[in-house]
Amino acid sequence: MGNSESEYRLEMTGITKSFGVVSVLEGVNLKVKHGEIHALLGENGAGKSTLVKILSGVHQKDSGKVLLNGKEINPKNTHYGQLLGISVVYQELSLVNDLSVAENIYLHKLGASKFWMNWKKITKDAQELINSLGFEIDASAIVRDLSIVQKQVVEIAKALSEDTKVLILDEPTTVFDPNDAKKLFANLERLKKGGMSIIYISHHLEEIFKIADTITVLKDGVDTGCVPKEAIDKDGVIRLMIGRELEDLFPVRDVVVSEKPVFEVKGLSGDDGFVKDVSFTVRAGEVLGIAGLGGSGRTEMAKLIFGADKKKSGTLTLNGKVITTKNPVEAVKQQIGFVSEDRKEEGVFLPLSIRKNISITNFKTISSKLGFINDEKENTNVNDLIAKLNIKTPSSEIDVKNLSGGNQQKVALAKWLSIDSKLIIIDEPTRGVDVGAKVEIYNLINEVAKKGVAVVVISSDMPEIMGIADRILVMHKGSIFGELPKDKFSEENILRYSIGEELKN
């Protein structure tokens, strides 16, 4: 219980918040004990992010009370929240790409000295902090050169570099493989035992039932329940989240897959030597899964195909014709789409509207012969996709930056679904997406495959990749180590190939 007389480290009671005429939170309560991991769950748009932003000082509440160690607080900005010991690791990364890892971790201390910075000490302290988390990242490396997994670790280290009393993690494992997630959970358990209060936001219910002590669920801006983990099961949580029973998460695959490959990769290697001699085929109507641990080369391989990274060797064949994709523009012309795992940096244009984001890949279809955009065609296409993907927005003119993370992901998907693609590569399709929206995305992937499109799905979520793929390729150290047909799907088999081991007989 620490030094406070209060049973709770944090108490938020009767919190309300509206943006204009839109009510986002209505009398929400959240109580977190000392040394507790408290899961905060809800669909995208349920109000989780707004509640966290009120706690950290990004937004100001309209009414209600926030108590920290029994004393009322009103964080006016994020700096004030940090001084109170409230640290947030948001789902969207907020690092400065051109600074080093150490500079990012101790950014709040840069300029604190009146004379000069002890760079050697800052780098040493940052390295020790990262090492204590069990990850191998060079503290002097420039953040731009890190993988998205490494960037996520730096964000966590940055939060822990302060005198944190309440740590809030928003979807921290969406880019982690099982080994990385295991390291994180061990660290959270250590911090919890040290008395830290942790608010954990995740759509992965398996994680919640592994590490959480208490679960609070939000739905449409209202808290629908707060229960000890032992008092509820996954089905009960889902009912609280979406207000109904959830049918089978993964749709039945009734697609007739062609015998003839639509797309073929032979001997693909990257200019940096990280991806080595990759070869595979994808057939019309097939959903091909790509699995592997973080750093196995999955994303790098996809970027080579899409022309985002430079190829050293290899040939790409689409519908029997050898093609070149020296850059993404060429790839799009060849009717290849790519949904990046990093939607903020590469997936969507945050300052632009939903309409502009969806239309940006499809000007040819919605324009006249003279090159002018046909507004009727554009609006019909955009509104159809908004309805099909159930993007929660009052208008297609809303800027993407104002959407929840899950709805941003849907826009990233819609952008490529608006064109007549022959091949779509989707990297982490449901990163940061709630269970209800996952079903919508899985159904959409099914629909795309039914149209004869070859679909490649890269995912760190093993139940997901087994649930939607017809076949799985597993990467290890930049190469494809093994292939699993449907009847060989299991987490054990994927993990064995992922670490470079052959399957048991």
Side-chain angles (χ1 to χ4, degrees):
M1 196 174 292
N3 298 322
S4 170
E5 294 180 359
S6 172
E7 177 187 358
Y8 296 100
R9 166 70 56 72
L10 172 70
E11 297 176 80
M12 302 181 78
T13 56
I15 304 297
T16 65
K17 179 66 181 178
S18 296
F19 295 99
V21 296
V22 180
S23 177
V24 181
L25 297 174
E26 300 177 20
V28 170
N29 301 302
L30 176 67
K31 295 184 178 183
V32 184
K33 295 178 180 178
H34 299 260
E36 175 185 52
I37 298 178
H38 195 115
L40 180 61
L41 306 181
E43 291 190 276
N44 295 116
K48 306 184 302 294
S49 295
T50 302
L51 188 66
V52 165
K53 287 177 179 178
I54 288 171
L55 175 58
S56 62
V58 175
H59 296 322
Q60 308 305 308
K61 64 185 183 304
D62 295 336
S63 62
K65 282 188 177 183
V66 181
L67 303 180
L68 188 66
N69 292 324
K71 295 181 180 179
E72 186 169 358
I73 61 168
N74 290 290
K76 301 297 182 186
N77 52 54
T78 54
H79 177 66
Y80 185 72
Q82 288 168 349
L83 290 176
L84 291 169
I86 300 167
S87 295
V88 187
V89 178
Y90 289 106
Q91 183 180 330
E92 304 295 351
L93 302 174
S94 59
L95 301 174
V96 183
N97 278 328
D98 294 321
L99 295 183
S100 71
V101 169
E103 287 167 335
N104 269 277
I105 289 175
Y106 291 108
L107 194 61
H108 58 291
K109 290 186 177 180
L110 299 186
S113 170
K114 294 181 180 178
F115 300 102
W116 56 80
M117 299 299 299
N118 188 337
W119 296 110
K120 187 175 181 181
K121 184 177 187 316
I122 284 176
T123 304
K124 179 176 177 289
D125 290 348
Q127 192 67 64
E128 288 177 354
L129 178 54
I130 289 171
N131 291 347
S132 74
L133 296 175
F135 292 88
E136 294 181 7
I137 302 172
D138 184 355
S140 61
I142 300 302
V143 163
R144 185 180 300 281
D145 299 327
L146 302 182
S147 70
I148 192 167
V149 172
Q150 292 172 320
K151 289 178 181 179
Q152 184 72 58
V153 174
V154 174
E155 284 278 19
I156 293 168
K158 182 179 175 182
L160 295 176
S161 70
E162 304 178 50
D163 185 21
T164 301
K165 303 291 190 302
V166 179
L167 175 65
I168 304 159
L169 298 170
D170 189 357
E171 296 288 351
T173 64
T174 49
V175 296
F176 282 4
D177 63 46
N179 285 342
D180 292 332
K182 191 175 179 180
K183 289 179 189 176
L184 175 64
F185 298 157
N187 281 301
L188 295 183
E189 192 65 28
R190 174 174 57 83
L191 295 169
K192 167 186 155 181
K193 287 178 179 176
M196 187 179 291
S197 300
I198 299 165
I199 298 173
Y200 193 94
I201 301 171
S202 177
H203 296 307
H204 296 285
L205 297 186
E206 298 84 4
E207 294 181 357
I208 297 305
F209 282 90
K210 277 182 185 176
I211 65 169
D213 300 301
T214 308
I215 297 171
T216 291
V217 179
L218 299 186
K219 175 175 168 54
D220 298 331
V222 177
D223 56 290
T224 57
C226 176
V227 293
K229 176 182 66 178
E230 295 77 15
I232 197 168
D233 60 12
K234 290 179 185 178
D235 289 341
V237 169
I238 290 170
R239 282 193 294 273
L240 290 175
M241 285 175 63
I242 64 178
R244 57 181 170 84
E245 298 288 345
L246 188 67
E247 301 302 326
D248 290 338
L249 186 58
F250 303 108
V252 176
R253 294 279 296 138
D254 57 354
V255 179
V256 177
V257 178
S258 169
E259 292 298 321
K260 188 177 179 181
V262 166
F263 184 68
E264 186 173 6
V265 178
K266 280 188 179 178
L268 181 65
S269 297
D271 199 45
D272 58 4
F274 190 65
V275 174
K276 301 178 286 288
D277 195 28
V278 167
S279 300
F280 65 89
T281 61
V282 199
R283 295 169 291 168
E286 182 180 29
V287 177
L288 176 67
I290 307 290
L293 301 179
S296 63
R298 301 168 307 173
T299 295
E300 290 79 6
M301 178 199 69
K303 287 185 173 181
L304 288 174
I305 293 170
F306 193 61
D309 288 344
K310 192 174 179 182
K311 290 184 281 290
K312 179 182 179 182
S313 61
T315 58
L316 307 179
T317 304
L318 187 65
N319 285 329
K321 179 183 175 183
V322 174
I323 62 170
T324 58
T325 56
K326 292 180 180 178
N327 53 57
V329 174
E330 281 193 5
V332 174
K333 285 181 180 178
Q334 300 288 354
Q335 294 175 289
I336 297 174
F338 175 50
V339 181
S340 170
E341 66 175 341
D342 189 350
R343 63 170 170 262
K344 184 179 179 182
E345 292 288 331
E346 302 171 344
V348 293
F349 297 95
L350 291 172
L352 300 184
S353 68
I354 298 170
R355 174 178 59 80
K356 289 179 179 177
N357 266 274
I358 292 176
S359 297
I360 207 160
T361 57
N362 194 33
F363 286 135
K364 185 177 179 181
T365 304
I366 61 175
S367 299
S368 67
K369 291 180 180 179
L370 297 176
F372 295 104
I373 292 176
N374 182 315
D375 290 340
E376 185 178 350
K377 275 187 179 180
E378 180 185 27
N379 289 329
T380 298
N381 181 60
V382 169
N383 289 329
D384 283 350
L385 284 165
I386 288 173
K388 188 176 285 185
L389 273 76
N390 194 24
I391 298 171
K392 294 178 181 176
T393 177
S395 164
S396 64
E397 298 305 313
I398 296 296
D399 289 345
V400 171
K401 66 184 178 184
N402 294 323
L403 299 178
S404 67
N407 283 301
Q408 288 178 3
Q409 179 73 353
K410 291 180 184 179
V411 173
L413 280 165
K415 183 174 70 175
W416 295 110
L417 295 173
S418 69
I419 65 173
D420 184 21
S421 298
K422 302 299 182 195
L423 169 72
I424 293 182
I425 304 170
I426 309 173
D427 197 352
E428 304 292 356
T430 60
R431 181 188 173 204
V433 173
D434 63 68
V435 288
K438 280 182 179 182
V439 176
E440 294 165 359
I441 290 174
Y442 298 151
N443 280 321
L444 194 63
I445 290 172
N446 239 9
E447 280 186 38
V448 170
K450 279 184 179 179
K451 293 177 181 178
V453 177
V455 183
V456 176
V457 174
I458 301 168
S459 179
S460 302
D461 186 331
M462 285 193 283
E464 172 175 274
I465 206 162
M466 290 189 293
I468 63 175
D470 299 304
R471 182 167 53 103
I472 296 174
L473 303 179
V474 186
M475 294 192 69
H476 172 67
K477 292 185 177 180
S479 300
I480 293 173
F481 188 84
E483 176 178 334
L484 295 170
K486 196 87 172 177
D487 61 352
K488 294 288 185 181
F489 284 6
S490 74
E491 292 194 19
E492 180 184 347
N493 286 348
I494 293 173
L495 279 173
R496 282 190 175 278
Y497 275 162
S498 295
I499 61 176
E501 287 189 6
E502 295 294 341
L503 304 187
K504 290 182 176 179
N505 292 328

